[in-house]
């Protein structure tokens, strides 16, 4: 597994073309680097941090921005096994973040405090999946 750290232009445009008015959930699947990969000129580049430590820095710095835009962590879990899907995908972190709407998510990623924090995420992550979902009514059926 490599790549998939930041969205590409087509993915970001598709996100922006969806409704911005309804609540959204963002499903996060994250595989971490063994060692953080900071840019060479970053103050932590030579500190030997693990990917987990760098992601923790990201979480500490980005959490206030998430709260400021009205977002929250809805669910966190630990990866156990893949029953259906690529067997080489294992995740270190899994969580669902809820936002009041896409405007809130876009406000978060545009916030200068968040933009300073994201360098820790980029250093920490080997690969990830960020999947936008919209809620459906809960029923007894799968579909």
């Amino acid at each position: 597994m490599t790549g998939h750290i930041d969205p590409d232009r087509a993915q970001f445009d598709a996100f922006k073309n969806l409704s911005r008015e309804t609540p959204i959930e963002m499903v996060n699947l994250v595989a971490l680097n063994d060692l953080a990969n900071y840019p060479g000129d970053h103050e932590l580049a030579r500190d030997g941090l693990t990917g987990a430590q760098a992601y923790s820095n990201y979480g500490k710095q980005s959490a206030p921005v998430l709260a400021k835009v009205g977002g929250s962590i809805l669910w966190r879990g630990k990866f156990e096994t893949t029953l259906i899907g690529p067997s080489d995908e294992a995740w270190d972190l899994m969580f669902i973040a809820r936002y009041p709407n896409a405007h809130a998510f876009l406000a978060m990623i545009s916030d200068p405090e968040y933009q300073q924090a994201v360098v820790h995420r980029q250093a920490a992550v080997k690969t990830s999946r960020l999947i936008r979902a919209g809620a459906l009514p809960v029923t007894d059926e799968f579909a």
Side-chain angles (χ1 to χ4, degrees), residues 18-143:
L18 294 172
S19 171
R20 296 188 188 186
E21 306 306 322
T22 59
I24 62 171
E25 286 78 37
M26 299 295 281
V27 179
N28 290 257
L29 306 173
V30 182
L32 298 171
N33 290 316
D34 292 333
L35 291 175
N37 186 21
Y38 283 98
D41 62 345
H42 191 274
E43 63 182 295
L44 297 176
R46 289 166 186 66
D47 285 7
L49 296 180
T50 65
Q53 289 170 314
Y55 205 88
S56 178
N57 288 340
Y58 166 69
K60 289 173 189 168
Q61 290 184 10
S62 63
V65 184
L66 174 68
K68 181 169 60 173
V69 301
S72 62
I73 302 300
L74 180 64
W75 175 87
R76 292 178 58 221
K78 66 177 184 156
F79 177 83
E80 293 182 345
T81 192
T82 298
L83 187 60
I84 299 174
S87 60
D88 65 338
E89 288 189 349
W91 307 104
D92 296 303
L93 304 166
M94 302 167 54
F95 61 96
I96 300 172
R98 174 174 284 161
Y99 298 86
N101 52 47
H103 293 293
F105 177 82
L106 293 168
M108 181 186 75
I109 65 173
S110 300
D111 186 283
E113 187 177 345
Y114 179 85
Q115 290 177 354
Q116 288 181 358
V118 81
V119 68
H120 300 295
R121 182 185 186 283
Q122 292 166 333
V125 174
K126 180 186 335 180
T127 192
S128 65
R129 306 294 181 266
L130 181 58
I131 303 162
R132 176 180 162 162
L136 292 173
V138 176
T139 68
D140 292 337
E141 300 176 4
F142 293 133

